[in-house]
Amino acid sequence: MPAFPHSTTSTPTAIAVPPSLSLPVIEAAFPRQLHPYWPRLQEKTRTWLLEKRLMPADKVTEYADGLCYTDLMAGYYLGAPDEVLQAIADYSAWFFVWDDRHDRDIVHRRPGAWRRLRFRLHAALDSPRDHLHHEDPLVAAFADCMVRLYSFLPQTWNTRFAGHFHEVIEAYDREFRNRSRGVVPTVEEYLALRRLTFAHWIWTDLLEPSAGCELPDGVRKNPAFRRAALLSQEFAAWYNDLCSLPKEIAGDEVHNLGISLIKHEGLTLEEAIREMRRLIGKCVDAFLVAESDALRFADGLDDGTVRGKELSTAVRACVRNMRNWFSTVYWFHHESGRYMVDSWDDRSTPPYVNNEAAGEK
């Protein structure tokens, strides 16, 4: 049967998940859902990519829908107001394009271009309105995303989000240096870096505008809530590593849990895949426990006051969407053209990227 009761393609078909990537617990215990705004979301994000010149028109036409970037967000931030989901989806599409630029700057040995982009993104994060018309489309589009995302919640949320993304930019710089030098981080080093490059706390922050409520520190930092949030993101990052391992080996990547296991733990490729599946399975099991704890915490916030009820409702919405992250990430990896390496002419060069000297002007 199709993974989705409302398929995101015009010709729904059953998705064949390779045995090495199949997780029956996700397919059975994490029903997939889709935000009702999804059809408009896909259309508007496709238009936004064109308007912001983030991808050439021919690549948008040929690849944008098949990359399923909007599907990923529409399956995660359920309950979000349409304008919030649209801003998040455009930002997510930008993030993937930025990730591809970062990769091409490494492949084509453009440290100067990467350094300029890094500093420009830091600046745009702090003063996005000043960068809306920047000469680099990637910077201008990022500024557009920030202006919109900063409009939903108070300045305290904006400051926290900016601090988290400054860390992500610097983590990408560490990845640039590691790859340029051929340095494979140890498993422990990699897992710490991955929490930043996968932007764990960015996607968690965005649960709040989706729920229409900024959560106070005491709620966000509650151990039950924070553990559920972390585990949902760890699953996504590690499952991404499992699915992208062939792509990243072909592209001479050094940042992948499997690559670190092979390099530093002496595992064969097959053993590394088994170990990754074991860790992912443990993560899912741990989330199911953490989810229950977080929902009990949410219940306890409802103390009979208006504020207590508001916080309890918002936390429950956030935790429900943490659960949605499992299914939407899982199916995204089997639907998106981003991971269909075997269909590419060159396994080291994704067909949807601009492989020219972007950023050198």
Side-chain angles (χ1 to χ4, degrees):
M1 63 180 288
F4 243 131
H6 316 290
S7 178
T8 58
T9 67
S10 58
T11 55
T13 57
I15 298 165
V17 179
S20 63
L21 304 177
S22 175
L23 297 177
V25 65
I26 300 298
E27 298 180 27
F30 291 79
R32 191 179 185 188
Q33 301 180 70
L34 185 68
H35 197 290
Y37 181 65
W38 173 79
R40 278 292 280 149
L41 186 72
Q42 184 185 56
E43 176 186 338
K44 292 187 73 171
T45 294
R46 188 193 318 123
T47 299
W48 185 80
L49 287 167
L50 281 170
E51 290 177 347
K52 296 303 178 183
R53 297 181 292 126
L54 287 177
M55 293 173 67
D58 61 333
K59 291 190 183 293
V60 171
T61 299
E62 187 171 357
Y63 297 109
D65 288 357
L67 289 169
C68 300
Y69 296 159
T70 55
D71 305 43
L72 181 64
M73 295 298 108
Y76 184 18
Y77 296 102
L78 268 71
D82 293 354
E83 65 173 345
V84 172
L85 183 60
Q86 188 67 62
I88 292 173
D90 290 349
Y91 168 68
S92 171
W94 174 88
F95 202 115
F96 281 112
V97 175
W98 175 50
D99 186 73
D100 292 335
R101 169 83 75 85
H102 176 260
D103 176 72
R104 294 298 94 185
D105 279 347
I106 294 168
V107 169
H108 294 300
R109 302 184 183 277
R110 301 192 294 243
W114 163 249
R115 189 179 308 111
R116 284 191 293 276
L117 178 59
R118 170 189 165 205
F119 292 141
R120 288 167 177 172
L121 293 178
H122 277 305
L125 188 55
D126 290 333
S127 56
R129 292 188 184 278
D130 295 338
H131 294 78
L132 287 171
H133 305 289
H134 196 279
E135 62 182 9
D136 185 338
L138 198 68
V139 177
F142 176 66
D144 178 74
C145 291
M146 292 306 102
V147 168
R148 292 155 66 196
L149 291 175
Y150 286 168
S151 71
F152 300 125
L153 291 178
Q155 181 60 41
T156 45
W157 183 91
N158 298 347
T159 300
R160 172 172 26 112
F161 183 93
H164 285 156
F165 201 74
H166 280 304
E167 292 180 339
V168 171
I169 295 168
E170 288 306 290
Y172 263 67
D173 186 56
R174 290 201 292 279
E175 279 206 347
F176 191 101
R177 285 181 275 123
N178 282 348
R179 284 185 64 187
S180 297
R181 299 167 185 168
V183 175
V184 178
T186 66
V187 172
E188 184 176 350
E189 291 168 343
Y190 172 73
L191 292 177
L193 182 61
R194 186 62 163 147
R195 291 184 185 118
L196 296 173
T197 58
F198 198 81
H200 282 21
W201 302 116
I202 292 297
W203 307 118
T204 302
D205 286 339
L206 290 169
L207 291 168
E208 294 169 65
S210 298
C213 178
E214 180 185 20
L215 300 178
D217 282 356
V219 172
R220 287 188 304 103
K221 295 180 180 179
N222 173 272
F225 181 86
R226 192 168 176 85
R227 180 160 174 74
L230 176 62
L231 287 166
S232 73
Q233 294 297 323
E234 296 281 57
F235 166 81
W238 300 351
Y239 191 68
N240 174 267
D241 279 3
L242 181 64
C243 294
S244 62
L245 187 56
K247 167 177 173 273
E248 295 185 339
I249 289 175
D252 291 326
E253 248 287 8
V254 297
H255 297 102
N256 185 292
L257 178 55
I259 293 172
S260 288
L261 287 166
I262 292 167
K263 171 70 174 179
H264 294 287
E265 305 295 327
L267 274 58
T268 64
L269 176 61
E270 293 75 15
E271 289 169 342
I273 290 171
R274 284 199 297 272
E275 176 63 7
M276 293 168 78
R277 287 180 59 85
R278 186 187 71 82
L279 291 171
I280 290 166
K282 284 185 62 178
C283 186
V284 175
D285 292 342
F287 173 79
L288 292 172
V289 175
E291 177 187 37
S292 296
D293 293 342
L295 290 173
R296 278 195 296 273
F297 168 63
D299 290 342
L301 291 171
D302 190 352
D303 58 3
T305 65
V306 172
R307 177 59 169 163
K309 184 173 182 60
E310 178 189 42
L311 286 176
S312 176
T313 300
V315 169
R316 291 190 72 87
C318 290
V319 175
R320 283 196 302 269
N321 281 338
M322 291 173 195
R323 161 175 275 272
N324 288 334
W325 196 220
F326 286 80
S327 58
T328 196
V329 163
Y330 180 78
W331 292 112
F332 168 71
H333 282 86
H334 304 299
E335 295 173 347
S336 174
R338 193 172 179 88
Y339 305 99
M340 297 180 182
V341 180
D342 291 338
S343 68
W344 301 354
D345 291 337
D346 177 354
R347 291 171 63 89
S348 67
T349 305
Y352 49 82
V353 301
N354 180 359
N355 200 37
E356 299 171 358
E360 285 289 11
K361 296 179 180 178

